[in-house]
Amino acid sequence: MSLQATRHYPDTLLVGSRITDVEQDRFKMEYQVVSKKQGKVTTTGTATIVMFDFTTNRKAPISEKLMSAIEQANRD
């Protein structure tokens, strides 16, 4: 996470996210927070989400259902 500007109460924050990279067992998301009061980006961040099978204690492939949801979100 990278803080670009301090936010002050009261304010309304708009949070956006997008999926940028997809692999067989993981995907990366980028986040951005915009302050309506300041009219600029205040925070950015990234996260890597890895699928995990708690039964086998190993990484797992992304399910077809989740992959379909990711594909749909990237089309919108």
Side-chain angles (χ1 to χ4, degrees):
M1 188 166 66
S2 173
L3 182 64
Q4 271 107 49
T6 305
R7 296 162 313 274
H8 300 282
Y9 180 81
D11 195 354
T12 299
L13 302 176
L14 306 173
V15 180
S17 63
R18 67 180 180 166
I19 297 170
T20 57
D21 296 306
V22 180
E23 296 180 31
Q24 181 180 353
D25 63 348
R26 69 191 69 208
F27 58 94
K28 182 184 272 187
M29 295 189 75
E30 291 181 350
Y31 303 94
Q32 188 175 66
V33 179
V34 176
S35 162
K36 283 187 79 172
K37 187 178 195 179
Q38 298 176 51
K40 65 181 180 178
V41 174
T42 61
T43 310
T44 59
T46 61
T48 300
I49 294 78
V50 178
M51 302 299 103
F52 191 79
D53 183 335
F54 287 94
T55 305
T56 62
N57 287 323
R58 295 183 182 272
K59 293 185 294 182
I62 296 174
S63 69
E64 289 182 30
K65 184 176 179 179
L66 179 55
M67 186 61 80
S68 293
I70 290 170
E71 290 168 352
Q72 180 63 41
N74 281 343
R75 281 193 293 268
D76 293 343

